[in-house]
């Protein structure tokens, strides 16, 4: 069901964002992305500043296939490469003009200080934001997460304890610690996502039903307190969301939720290398 929703609808319903490095090889990246999706991550952004164009394109294609439509997939990269990959989301610092890789794509502004946050919050071309933990109070004031028409934003956290503090301060979406190497997680990727989603479960159940309803039905409406929506399956949708992508969208996006590496001519890689 999630893959049938438009990108903006899926963004509004999102709770967790994962930053992912290319890993040691394409198959390792594919396995990681698949496991993150099994943990119900909502957004995955591939970030590897020192990677070549070829590696990033191969990484995006690999992650797109592994995600199988279960997560919005993005890139933190240049405009030309993002357009070449037709990335569904492009992440960039808030000081950079938002990059939209295709007509229906999303833009993500990363704000590291109050000035950048204020700028991104006003920018109609920025669809969502990531803010540092010290900016949560300001982000809540600028874009209250419980308002259906507020710009979605993710609080960047480095631990589950910091996530709990951010949620207590008003954050309702979390950007998780970057996964440079799966070996460093200390747990399975699925458990990693679940541990952060659990910090959000109560607030989404108690406070975000209006946001969920508005996202699924294309506008804010008054709900009775007894109406509690969870995942999109509960909504009983009978038509596509208004912002649904056209029929010719990539086939990977048509799936419903629930070996490229040959090593030829390449040096041996360590756990933190990208291919």
């Amino acid at each position: 069901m999630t893959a049938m929703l438009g990108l903006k609808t899926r963004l509004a319903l999102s709770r967790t964002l994962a930053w992912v490095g290319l890993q040691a090889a394409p198959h390792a990246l594919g396995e990681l992305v698949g496991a993150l999706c099994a943990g119900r991550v909502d957004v995955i952004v591939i970030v590897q500043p020192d990677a070549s164009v070829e590696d990033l394109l191969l990484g995006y294609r690999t992650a797109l296939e592994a995600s199988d439509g279960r997560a919005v997939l993005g890139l933190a990269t240049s405009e030309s490469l993002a357009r070449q990959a037709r990335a569904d989301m492009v992440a960039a610092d808030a000081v950079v003009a938002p990059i939209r890789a295709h007509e229906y794509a999303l833009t993500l502004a990363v704000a590291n200080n109050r000035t950048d946050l204020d700028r991104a919050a006003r920018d109609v071309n920025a669809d969502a934001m990531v803010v540092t933990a010290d900016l949560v109070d300001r982000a809540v004031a600028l874009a209250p997460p419980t308002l259906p028409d507020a710009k979605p934003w993710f609080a960047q956290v480095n631990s589950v304890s910091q996530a709990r503090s951010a949620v207590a301060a008003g954050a309702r979406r979390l950007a998780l610690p970057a996964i440079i190497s799966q070996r460093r997680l200390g747990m399975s990727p699925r458990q990693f996502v679940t541990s952060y989603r659990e910090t959000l479960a109560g607030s989404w159940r108690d406070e975000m039903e209006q946001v969920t309803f508005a996202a699924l039905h294309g506008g804010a409406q008054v709900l009775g307190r007894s109406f509690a929506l969870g995942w999109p399956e509960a909504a009983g949708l009978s038509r596509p969301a208004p912002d649904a992508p056209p029929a010719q969208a990539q086939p990977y996006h048509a799936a419903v939720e629930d070996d490229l590496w040959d090593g030829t001519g390449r040096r041996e890689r360590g756990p933190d290398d990208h291919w």
Side-chain angles (χ1 to χ4, degrees):
M1 177 64 75
T2 56
M4 297 171 63
L5 300 173
L7 290 172
K8 286 188 177 180
T9 301
R10 295 172 68 184
L11 175 62
L13 296 171
S14 63
R15 305 185 189 188
T16 52
L17 179 152
W19 304 100
V20 174
L22 285 181
Q23 309 304 299
H27 73 269
L29 175 62
E31 290 172 359
L32 173 59
V33 168
L36 290 172
C37 290
R40 292 169 66 184
V41 76
D42 301 297
V43 180
I44 297 173
V45 179
I46 297 174
V47 53
Q48 191 78 48
D50 58 342
S52 68
V53 169
E54 293 78 10
D55 282 352
L56 277 173
L57 287 174
L58 176 57
Y60 189 82
R61 290 195 299 268
T62 301
L64 192 62
E65 185 171 5
S67 66
D68 200 24
R70 293 173 291 172
V72 175
L73 189 64
L75 274 174
T77 189
S78 65
E79 180 175 4
S80 60
L81 180 54
R83 290 185 180 278
Q84 191 174 349
R86 289 187 57 80
D88 281 339
M89 173 181 279
V90 183
D93 289 340
V95 296
V96 177
I99 299 168
R100 207 173 296 279
H102 59 77
E103 182 181 0
Y104 296 92
L106 301 169
T107 63
L108 180 69
V110 181
N112 296 304
N113 56 62
R114 181 165 174 158
T115 300
D116 290 350
L117 171 57
D118 290 355
R119 181 188 297 110
R122 294 192 304 268
D123 191 343
V124 296
N125 293 310
D127 296 312
M129 304 178 293
V130 172
V131 308
T132 51
D134 60 305
L135 295 175
V136 167
D137 288 343
R138 179 63 176 170
V140 170
L142 291 172
T146 56
L147 295 184
D149 59 349
K151 182 174 296 188
W153 54 271
F154 299 81
Q156 181 63 60
V157 296
N158 296 317
S159 65
V160 172
S161 61
Q162 190 176 49
R164 294 193 187 100
S165 297
V167 172
R172 295 297 177 261
R173 298 177 178 90
L174 299 173
L176 314 186
I179 305 175
I180 305 303
S181 169
Q182 184 173 333
R183 296 182 184 182
R184 297 183 180 182
L185 281 181
M187 65 185 76
S188 74
R190 183 169 184 164
Q191 291 172 325
F192 175 72
V193 177
T194 299
S195 65
Y196 286 93
R197 284 187 66 90
E198 286 176 348
T199 69
L200 293 162
S203 58
W204 271 78
R205 181 185 62 246
D206 299 337
E207 303 173 24
M208 299 293 283
E209 62 195 57
Q210 179 78 5
V211 174
T212 303
F213 187 88
L216 291 172
H217 293 271
Q221 300 184 33
V222 177
L223 296 179
R225 289 299 300 171
S226 62
F227 188 83
L229 285 175
W231 279 93
E233 287 84 346
L237 291 180
S238 58
R239 58 180 176 84
D243 58 328
Q248 65 268 27
Q250 291 288 343
Y252 302 114
H253 295 178
V256 177
E257 178 174 2
D258 224 32
D259 178 345
L260 297 177
W261 175 251
D262 60 13
T264 303
R266 310 209 181 200
R267 68 176 177 84
E268 183 176 352
R269 304 284 183 160
D272 298 329
D273 288 341
H274 59 79
W275 58 88

